[in-house]
Amino acid sequence: MTNPIPFDAIGQDISVLPNAKLEASESLPKANLYSISGNFEFLGVKIDGISLGTNKQNIIQTISIAIPGELNRETYNLLVDAYGEPKALYNTDQVIEVSESVDEKGIRAKETKSTMKECTFDEEPKLIVWDNNKGKIELSMARKRQLFRTYRITFGDRSYLFD
């Protein structure tokens, strides 16, 4: 049996979800990150857990789920049926900067900054945005070179991270 994803918790105190576990606080200047483990289902796909972003007052701002695999046309159509046509679809336009770093454990990280341009679904968008009467939703794709492909859907407004 699967649990419902608690979308109605957005805007409420994290205490409404007593099984939420604090994952990060001090390392994030404007947010706290929580997770809930369990068996969830979204659009017929099994999800192992969800992530919750709160402001520093512990009011839930976002709920995120990671879905294994690649976004296909059938799932995209289910999202459109549920949430309407997206406001925009974006793909990488121009790479502005590439930087690499190595941490104290010798783990390498590569960061790429680029501009985005609007595209169609057939142009393999990296980001899809809905912003309508059902709320704000962002769907982001993993890079193709990652071993385990996933896409992440975030419900709610992430602007609290940048205020």
Side-chain angles (χ1 to χ4, degrees), residues 92-98 111-115:
T92 303
D93 187 20
Q94 295 179 335
V95 174
I96 297 171
E97 178 184 337
V98 177
E111 181 180 10
T112 304
K113 293 181 182 178
S114 59
T115 59

Side-chain angles (χ1 to χ4, degrees), residues 70-79 120-122:
E70 294 186 38
L71 179 67
N72 59 37
R73 175 64 77 172
E74 180 182 343
T75 304
Y76 174 74
N77 288 339
L78 289 172
L79 287 162
T120 66
F121 182 80
D122 293 327

